[in-house]
Amino acid sequence: MADNVSYGWAGYIARVNLTSGDITKESDEEMQQDYIGGMGFANKIMFDEVPAGTKWDDPENKAVLAVGPLTGSGVPLGGRSTWATLSTFTKDYLIVDCHCGGTLGAQLKYSGHDGLIIEGESETPVYILIDDDKISIEDASAFWGKGTRETTEGLCKKHGLDCCVAAIGPAGENLLPYACVMNARSHSAGAGLGAVLGKKKVKAVVVRGTKGVNVADPQMVADLSDYMLAEVLGSNNNHVVPSTQQSWAEYYDKGSRWTARKGLYWAAAEGGPIETGEPKPGEPNTVGYRCMKSTKDLGPEAEKYTVKMAGCHGCPVRCYTNVQVPRVKEITGYSSTGNTCVPNFPVSSYMPGIAPVAGITDEDGTLTDLSVVYNQVVSAIVDDLGLWCNYAQLYRDIAHCYASGIFERVLGDDYASYRFEDFFDNQDPTPIVKILTDIAMNQSEIAYVGHGPLVWTERWDDAAWYDNAKSCLINYRGWPVHHAIECFGQVGGLYNMMFNRDDMIHSAVNFQGCGLPIDLKKEMAKEMWGGEDACDPDKAYTPINDAKIEFAWWSIVTDVLHDSLTLCNWVWPMAMAPEKARDYRGDLDLEAQFYTAVTGVEVTTDDLYKAAERIMTLQRGYSSLGMTDAEGNMGCNDFRNVHDVITEWVFEKDPDLKAFEKGTDKMDRDDWQKALGMLYKRFGWDEELGCPTKQCLDDLGLDDLESALDEAGLLVDGGTPYDERTRTYSGVLSDYCGNNPALAQ
Amino acid sequence: MKENTALEHVGSGADRLDAFFTRRGFVKVSGAFVATMAALGLLPETAAAAPTSSKGKIDYYATPSHVLKINRAKCTGCQRCEMSCTLKNDGNSQPAAARIHVRDGFFYGSELGSGDGIYYSCEWNIRQCHMCTTAMCQTACPHGAIITDESTGVRSVDPEKCVGCGTCVAACPYHMPVVNSVTHKSTKCIACGRCAEQCPNGALELVEWENVNHASGPTRQENPDPLISEVQDYVGGGKVA
């Protein structure tokens, strides 16, 4: 561009050094094409600047927040952001991504920054204030000790109600490994990031952005948005059929998150109830009613408390519950609560299977009014404490430690003070206040449950928990399932191994739950992943094959792509659509078309997938530098035997059934090992070890990583060349996309 | 259950301003002409006595053809309206310069203590241009930079004349115009309706002009919750010493 305008990207990353007090900014232009933004930028910066072997609580660790070219640009669902830092609770303190929605990412972009690098350590509590170009380190001593709500309110009072405050609570201050960073009331960046900021004495990041995102072709962004809202986008998780039978819909599926229906209301709305009704495809102005999340998660009694839905910046799918429950206010002090993920249903979804909670369901199994109270009390508390749950592991572990007698054994005299019996048996939600607060304060024995299973199972002598299917722990390095083997068997299992935390990949589970019949899904699978056998009906799985590997690879790269662009992978990619006229096909090229319209840089879907593969491979290689082997030596590239080790229960569950029999998602050991090798090959990695090869590093242009691996003795030859392992995705669904405005050009 | 249709309004005072000018007979220059136009049905009566330009010179009398009508109970805070507005009218995505405002009230409503916002009532205001019969932004502009479109009656900012002084922002009873922090020019709504097209909840509607001063929704709760920062003895929902 001759006019030297940066389109999409703001073009700069801010760097705040808390040790020296230096505040600088630097261009990110050189990273844009190869690493996109968001996760890509954050991972690249961590790899370049944080040496392998650094501990999460060392001053040398950094917290890197980044957004991408589509963040805040007007592209639907472009409100997310990704932080990267070192893990506080999984094995070896390797790099993790901490994603969050809310308004943080968009505000950062509007301030003129694609990223914020927080490095060093402060001696006293501080917050970082970003007010467009003005960045400062401010005294936070008045806010230290406060919950995230009070901190946010105080900082907004001081700096303006339009500021986005991303704050840690007591959990972060007290260095609890499960601490998170909260913005916009209930949007959390987890994976221990709160403890990293707490160690650096950063109470909050306050951002106000009044600038714009320059867009190369604003008309095309508008036209593509209209097209997407009218016929491609579904509901939360891109579920594309309603959950009840409706006159306009050919299909319905009771599991769908398209839960609007006649007679279902935002019953506590101002001015009187608002009916969710029957929002149909082709109605852009009713998209935000499709997902009625309060009753979906909390049961029918939540309707009367429902004010409305909400969610992240820029997203037309409103998946966030907003309820006002008087009893919750009485217990917690907070009138407004709600979430879309685990903190919306922490008790009812994760505890009863391990320790029954009396009174939260009726005789028919329907959730009761009490369940709304139990769930939302926890929701209000954990958000204020800045306490993250390791994708519900905290709740499963609390229930298990109570039910199996571990708490009684290890908590000593404190045990009685937690009143577990009242919480589980006597329909009294109030004991959870002390339980969670003590965990967050990180000063008593019970807090170890918030250090993650890697720590507490050893401390409290319960290694067997990993091998119990009820634990849902999927990897011995300390993280639980995030749509694992129950999601297309090997496909879900494979992508649950990839990162250093739970995967947060939704590309596959969205397809699984979208509500379309399996025969149609198989047709779509053939078009997208090269074979109808990429997907099987639930619990009727078949052995691994090439199409399943392609599906798993695609799930991983699309997730990484979205976390880099940044788009919401809880709904993207557009693999399916609600519109019958397009045979329910989605539009896989929308990311590339939006990217081109926003940045002015022509790219294809395959270009973007390759960039995502580069980012995934970078994280993989960076991880191997810090990973320890069986003897505890740092530097290990045997991912198959050290990192990608799935927990035993997946092979042992359902003892009366064999793997691949109908009725089970049990896995087969030999098939699993074969699947790992096939996935490694698809990425160009070593088929035995699962580490990046010289060939794939050359193909992806990861020269710095190649040098680092070589120096560490971890570089291996071999690997399938890029052209021999990849396939073309651009245009695979274009026959169904006649109304796509970018194709009309 | 009864469906939500319209909202009660807590008066902001702007409606009284209109009445003030009407009573004073502020418009004298071409009152007869205007009355004739109105009698012929070419202008709505409410427009007849309203001054619409600065510097005492009257150049047009019609009320704007359209206005945004809003229902804040339906707003879910996605702020797509703001991005859609600036994509269409400025060629970039810049919510802080948008002609409709959600972002500044999303957390705490019209002001801290209003009892509104995502942290309290889960209601907040969508602030939109009321397309006043007496456009204070226009009359106050010392440079005559806010002009009236002859076909629609909509006032817009002439960027050539605007110096970004912010007088329009101060003069508007709703402080709707914004001086763009990058271009240093004022912006105001031109009733293009793009925001409404992209509202996923139908909280915005571009309608033929009517007086919307009574339909903007309340600006605060009748009995707001006390501020957490003022009464807080809760951290994490538990009373702490």
Side-chain angles (χ1 to χ4, degrees):
Chain A
M1 300 286 167
D3 51 3
N4 209 22
V5 171
S6 177
Y7 291 100
W9 295 275
Y12 293 97
I13 290 177
R15 182 185 295 273
V16 174
N17 187 312
L18 299 161
T19 306
S20 66
D22 290 341
I23 297 168
T24 54
K25 74 174 189 177
E26 53 211 65
S27 169
D28 57 35
E29 203 177 335
E30 284 188 3
M31 284 196 292
Q32 291 172 1
Q33 193 186 337
D34 286 350
Y35 297 97
I36 302 174
M39 176 185 175
F41 279 10
N43 274 255
K44 173 71 170 137
I45 292 164
M46 287 292 290
F47 166 70
D48 285 347
E49 301 184 11
V50 179
T54 306
K55 305 281 187 291
W56 72 265
D57 52 357
D58 288 343
E60 291 75 22
N61 184 20
K62 302 190 182 190
V64 184
L65 165 65
V67 295
L70 304 191
T71 317
S73 67
V75 175
L77 303 100
R80 296 192 63 85
S81 51
T82 305
W83 297 73
T85 191
L86 297 178
S87 174
T88 58
F89 70 98
T90 59
K91 178 84 173 144
D92 292 334
Y93 315 112
L94 303 176
I95 185 169
V96 285
D97 304 301
C98 327
H99 319 90
C100 70
T103 60
L104 178 66
Q107 282 287 329
L108 182 74
K109 186 67 149 315
Y110 298 139
S111 77
H113 302 94
D114 296 321
L116 168 67
I117 303 166
I118 304 175
E119 59 188 24
E121 260 183 33
S122 171
E123 287 179 5
T124 57
V126 295
Y127 63 94
I128 295 168
L129 175 63
I130 301 177
D131 191 352
D132 281 345
D133 291 323
K134 287 178 288 183
I135 303 178
S136 54
I137 302 169
E138 305 280 340
D139 175 24
S141 49
F143 301 101
W144 205 252
K146 308 283 191 194
T148 63
R149 291 208 191 205
E150 194 180 349
T151 302
T152 301
E153 192 167 293
L155 287 166
C156 277
K157 193 173 184 178
K158 196 169 171 185
H159 296 292
L161 302 188
D162 55 344
C163 290
C164 176
V165 176
I168 64 167
E173 292 176 11
N174 292 299
L175 311 185
L176 185 83
Y178 272 3
C180 62
V181 176
M182 302 297 308
N183 86 85
R185 193 193 71 198
S186 37
H187 295 265
S188 65
L193 176 70
V196 174
L197 292 195
K199 185 67 174 40
K200 295 182 180 306
K201 289 270 198 302
V202 174
K203 180 64 182 172
V205 175
V206 183
V207 191
R208 180 204 275 116
T210 72
K211 301 201 237 180
V213 178
N214 295 314
V215 174
D217 187 349
Q219 188 60 51
M220 182 54 75
V221 172
D223 291 346
L224 284 167
S225 299
D226 286 344
Y227 158 73
M228 182 174 160
L229 263 63
E231 58 178 86
V232 187
L233 180 64
S235 183
N236 181 222
N237 284 21
N238 208 24
H239 290 176
V240 295
V241 310
S243 63
T244 54
Q245 198 160 15
Q246 300 186 5
S247 58
W248 61 272
E250 184 179 15
Y251 304 112
Y252 72 99
D253 182 288
K254 69 175 170 39
S256 171
R257 294 187 181 189
W258 187 311
T259 38
R261 61 172 167 80
K262 283 181 180 163
L264 183 66
Y265 292 82
W266 296 353
E270 186 176 79
I274 293 172
E275 191 177 32
T276 57
E278 293 196 355
K280 304 168 188 61
E283 295 177 357
N285 301 124
T286 60
V287 173
Y289 295 102
R290 289 176 184 172
C291 180
M292 172 66 164
K293 202 65 174 8
S294 58
T295 47
K296 169 76 178 165
D297 291 346
L298 297 163
E301 296 299 324
E303 184 179 7
K304 62 180 177 288
Y305 303 124
T306 303
V307 180
K308 58 176 59 170
M309 298 298 119
C312 301
H313 187 274
C315 179
V317 178
R318 311 312 283 159
C319 71
Y320 254 69
T321 295
N322 281 280
V323 287
Q324 305 261 332
V325 187
R327 179 79 176 114
V328 173
K329 184 179 170 188
E330 239 174 72
I331 296 170
T332 68
Y334 302 125
S335 54
S336 146
T337 62
N339 205 292
T340 185
C341 195
V342 173
N344 215 31
F345 39 85
V347 178
S348 59
S349 289
Y350 303 106
M351 286 182 162
I354 298 167
V357 183
I360 63 167
T361 50
D362 63 18
E363 313 80 59
D364 308 328
T366 305
L367 292 170
T368 60
D369 193 69
L370 189 67
S371 89
V372 181
V373 176
Y374 263 75
N375 284 313
Q376 292 304 305
V377 163
V378 173
S379 192
I381 296 168
V382 293
D383 284 355
D384 199 36
L385 291 169
L387 173 57
W388 179 68
C389 63
N390 192 8
Y391 196 56
Q393 198 57 36
L394 180 63
Y395 308 115
R396 283 187 288 259
D397 289 352
I398 289 173
H400 168 67
C401 288
Y402 164 67
S404 64
I406 291 173
F407 278 151
E408 193 168 9
R409 169 162 61 83
V410 302
L411 298 183
D413 292 345
D414 288 346
Y415 180 77
S417 71
Y418 292 113
R419 299 194 294 126
F420 290 108
E421 288 80 5
D422 284 345
F423 182 79
F424 285 100
D425 303 332
N426 299 334
Q427 307 196 12
D428 179 1
T430 60
I432 202 71
V433 176
K434 179 175 164 59
I435 294 168
L436 293 171
T437 305
D438 275 10
I439 292 169
M441 293 301 177
N442 199 18
Q443 280 152 10
S444 38
E445 187 66 23
I446 195 172
Y448 284 100
V449 77
H451 287 229
L454 205 61
V455 171
W456 77 254
T457 58
E458 190 183 337
R459 184 177 177 88
W460 297 339
D461 191 24
D462 190 29
W465 181 229
Y466 275 95
D467 296 328
N468 183 336
K470 286 185 175 183
S471 78
C472 291
L473 287 163
I474 197 71
N475 188 295
Y476 291 103
R477 301 177 74 83
W479 62 83
V481 294
H482 200 133
H483 311 304
I485 58 167
E486 79 286 6
C487 181
F488 300 118
Q490 304 95 334
V491 174
L494 286 168
Y495 65 66
N496 266 257
M497 299 298 108
M498 284 300 106
F499 305 107
N500 297 308
R501 60 167 295 186
D502 62 301
D503 54 89
M504 313 254 277
I505 290 175
H506 297 80
S507 306
V509 78
N510 293 356
F511 188 67
Q512 181 190 27
C514 72
L516 296 173
I518 186 68
D519 290 344
L520 182 54
K521 281 183 186 161
K522 282 180 164 290
E523 280 177 35
M524 296 163 82
K526 187 174 183 185
E527 293 161 359
M528 292 190 283
W529 307 303
E532 292 192 348
D533 51 3
C535 64
D536 300 317
D538 291 350
K539 295 196 172 182
Y541 296 120
T542 55
I544 194 67
N545 59 49
D546 287 339
K548 286 179 202 275
I549 291 298
E550 191 62 28
F551 186 16
W553 175 89
W554 173 87
S555 299
I556 296 163
V557 297
T558 48
D559 168 76
V560 170
L561 173 64
H562 298 144
D563 289 340
S564 300
L565 280 171
T566 57
L567 295 174
C568 173
N569 181 260
W570 281 250
V571 180
W572 286 90
M574 296 293 112
M576 52 277 168
E579 186 64 69
K580 187 184 181 196
R582 53 188 294 139
D583 290 339
Y584 303 103
R585 262 56 168 198
D587 192 334
L588 292 185
D589 292 326
L590 274 169
E591 291 97 326
Q593 289 159 345
F594 273 123
Y595 181 107
T596 297
V598 170
T599 66
V601 180
E602 291 279 344
V603 294
T604 65
T605 300
D606 297 296
D607 295 335
L608 293 182
Y609 286 3
K610 188 175 183 181
E613 203 183 59
R614 177 180 301 112
I615 295 161
M616 185 68 243
T617 297
L618 173 69
Q619 184 174 105
R620 193 84 167 171
Y622 181 36
S623 294
S624 72
L625 293 169
M627 194 159 78
T628 54
D629 63 16
E631 281 75 47
N633 301 313
M634 192 179 87
C636 170
N637 59 11
D638 187 1
F639 282 89
R640 184 188 290 266
N641 293 305
V642 175
H643 188 283
D644 303 339
V645 184
I646 201 164
T647 40
E648 273 292 302
W649 60 263
V650 306
F651 307 116
E652 300 285 344
K653 69 181 294 191
D654 298 334
D656 298 336
L657 293 169
K658 290 186 186 140
F660 309 127
E661 278 185 347
K662 210 169 177 184
T664 184
D665 54 11
K666 184 178 193 167
M667 306 283 282
D668 176 82
R669 284 189 174 81
D670 292 339
D671 179 80
W672 172 251
Q673 291 301 328
K674 185 179 170 192
L676 279 173
M678 289 169 75
L679 183 70
Y680 296 161
K681 181 181 178 185
R682 178 64 182 88
F683 272 96
W685 300 339
D686 185 274
E687 290 175 46
E688 280 308 309
L689 299 171
C691 64
T693 59
K694 187 168 185 318
Q695 175 73 50
C696 89
L697 294 168
D698 288 343
D699 286 338
L700 298 172
L702 286 165
D703 301 344
D704 293 348
L705 178 61
E706 190 173 326
S707 308
L709 291 174
D710 197 15
E711 204 173 302
L714 297 171
L715 186 61
V716 297
D717 289 327
T720 308
Y722 183 78
D723 292 340
E724 291 172 26
R725 62 184 171 80
T726 201
R727 57 193 293 278
T728 299
Y729 279 86
S730 300
V732 291
L733 299 178
S734 57
D735 286 351
Y736 304 96
C737 301
N739 295 328
N740 181 318
L743 296 181
Q745 279 192 332
Chain B
M1 278 185 238
K2 210 173 83 191
E3 261 205 82
N4 182 307
T5 49
L7 294 162
E8 288 302 308
H9 174 61
V10 176
S12 63
D15 48 343
R16 291 192 293 278
L17 272 179
D18 284 346
F20 170 77
F21 282 107
T22 307
R23 276 201 308 277
R24 290 276 304 268
F26 198 78
V27 181
K28 292 172 183 167
V29 180
S30 52
F33 169 72
V34 170
T36 308
M37 293 286 280
L40 290 170
L42 296 174
L43 289 176
E45 267 182 60
T46 49
T52 58
S53 95
S54 57
K55 294 184 170 177
K57 190 174 155 196
I58 294 165
D59 56 15
Y60 204 77
Y61 276 86
T63 47
S65 55
H66 291 85
V67 67
L68 281 169
K69 197 169 181 180
I70 60 175
N71 183 341
R72 77 171 194 160
K74 290 183 170 182
C75 177
T76 54
C78 72
Q79 303 165 48
R80 290 196 62 74
C81 50
E82 298 173 341
M83 293 192 291
S84 300
C85 168
T86 55
L87 277 172
K88 183 177 177 85
N89 294 299
D90 305 286
N92 68 352
S93 172
Q94 189 180 3
R99 294 147 187 84
I100 182 163
H101 307 305
V102 174
R103 62 192 279 280
D104 53 3
F106 180 61
F107 295 133
Y108 295 106
S110 57
E111 61 179 337
L112 211 52
S114 65
D116 278 345
I118 198 83
Y119 287 90
Y120 290 95
S121 69
C122 302
E123 302 292 353
W124 48 84
N125 291 99
I126 308 169
R127 299 194 297 114
Q128 97 285 30
C129 177
H130 288 214
M131 297 289 168
C132 305
T133 51
T134 305
M136 300 297 283
C137 57
Q138 188 175 40
T139 57
C141 177
H143 296 275
I146 297 183
I147 54 177
T148 306
D149 183 290
E150 293 195 6
S151 60
T152 64
V154 171
R155 290 86 166 195
S156 64
V157 177
D158 179 349
E160 298 295 315
K161 292 182 185 168
C162 176
V163 299
C165 66
T167 305
C168 53
V169 185
C172 170
Y174 314 99
H175 305 306
M176 276 305 302
V178 170
V179 178
N180 185 315
S181 65
V182 177
T183 63
H184 306 295
K185 304 287 184 187
S186 175
T187 55
K188 77 166 284 298
C189 178
I190 56 166
C192 72
R194 179 59 187 159
C195 54
E197 286 175 5
Q198 279 277 312
C199 176
N201 289 93
L204 314 170
E205 203 184 346
L206 189 70
V207 298
E208 286 194 22
W209 190 91
E210 62 180 83
N211 185 337
V212 295
N213 290 344
H214 291 276
S216 311
T219 55
R220 58 189 298 116
Q221 295 294 306
E222 275 181 39
N223 297 300
D225 277 355
L227 285 173
I228 288 162
S229 55
E230 286 173 10
V231 300
Q232 179 69 294
D233 54 0
Y234 299 91
V235 170
K239 294 210 176 208
V240 293

